[in-house]
Amino acid sequence: MQLIAQIIFIAALLFGIGFFARNVKRLIRNIKLGKDVDRTDNPKARFGNMARVALGQSKMVKRPIAGIMHIFVYVGFVIINIEVLEIIIDGIFGTHRIFSFLGPGYDFLIGSFEVLAFLVLLGVIVFWTRRNISKIKRFWANEMKGWPKNDANYILYFEMVLMALFLLMNASDYQLQLLGAEHYAAANGQIMGAFPVSQFLLPLLDGLSVSTLIIVERAAWWLHILGILFFLNYLYYSKHLHILLAFPNTYYAKLKPKGEMNNLAAVKKEVDLMMDPNADPFAAPEENGEEEEPEKFGASDVQDLNWVQLLNAYTCTECGRCTSECPANITGKKLSPRKIMMDTRDRVEEIGENINKNGEYKEDGKQLLGDYITQEELWACTTCNACVEACPIGIDPLSIILDMRRYLMMEQSAAPNELNIAMTNIENNGAPWPYNQMDRLKWAEENN
């Protein structure tokens, strides 16, 4: 019977890891749909940013309640899963608490895990309450309906169940040790581990026979490890993918001043040629060092964005801090920076499924601009950078908005009328106002 259990465990482990590896491969492929961009400069600053923001949670605690609770859940969930190593070894070799030979050190680890499990439960309950009872506004925006709304609650329920199973597993194990059950009691009669939290569950198990306790302990053990494997593979389909991607995302985040906009190489090249007295305006493009087919200006679909922007989209936690700080959204405009990231990820996923089905991308008649993100949303942006500053893991919705506006301006000539008027005035008058240079002060006279 034990051998059969080991075989089933190994099969489940291999399947779970294999499915996860497949999802990681697809994720990397989808991110690489974006254009190449070099983010390998200044590794010291990048590691510092990753350590401070992703590991140290420095931007999360700007909102203290959510920040502290998130630290409980984040630290607790990660550290508790160190015990998964012991569970895996026990499952493969049929042992029980293989690391118990560490003695007092093992007691400290198990005790710490239990305290952290309790803090995770506390944090998750607070998050569930804020989301479903307090109904904080940013969790109930228009884009947070259907799957995004349900996904957030699924994860909270899942974490509650995993922590409860962990504590129940320990409580039943402790009770079996107290009863001296075979395979559970240590050879020297000492209790294996310390159980500062799960011991309070013992009254629930009081009076159960050894055979029943073994069933409870084994059921909790199996459900806990299978739950972790399921959770690992669920991440790909969930906003909680940021658990894995927050680290590379903060490492590859832009280090330059946040308000600085990048220059388009193709535009700069055109300007350089205009300023070059030796350039022949009538020569073939290649004679002036130009490519035969000029690069597309801006972005209309996800393939026009760079891979860091697509990484941003997959890393988005959908927390809504960006949207809650956006002045355009606050004043009732349609723009939501969170929706920009969610739409980008949905479009990347749509293209990824297209590739999965056809072996390569087949034109589907859709694009990010228009089918997902409207011009109204893009032109509502004030480029104030509040969304970038607010994001707890360094996501940059503004860069996507700017690239798509560049496409509208430079490829489609589809700027709003107010902007066209201002640009015409700049071209004709050297200023955005409808006065020539000789009459620039007329507006002041009219207001006297």
Side-chain angles (χ1 to χ4, degrees), residues 9 39 119 182 191 250 276 278 282 307 313 320 361 386 413 425:
F9 178 85
R39 291 289 175 87
L119 291 176
E182 185 181 356
I191 297 296
T250 49
D276 183 1
N278 298 317
F282 302 104
W307 67 265
Y361 176 61
S413 298
N425 288 332

Side-chain angles (χ1 to χ4, degrees), residues 21-22 31-32 47 59 74 81 92 105-106 111 114 164 187 207 240 271 315 328 346 386 412 426 431:
R22 188 206 72 161
I31 291 173
K32 286 185 175 181
F47 274 113
K59 297 185 76 174
Y74 164 72
N81 282 322
I92 293 173
Y106 187 73
E114 290 213 345
H240 285 75
V271 174
T315 310
D346 289 345
Q412 301 291 311
I426 290 172

Side-chain angles (χ1 to χ4, degrees), residues 17 78-79 345 442 446:
I17 293 175
V78 171
I79 293 179
R345 179 174 59 203
K442 277 193 174 181
E446 294 173 359

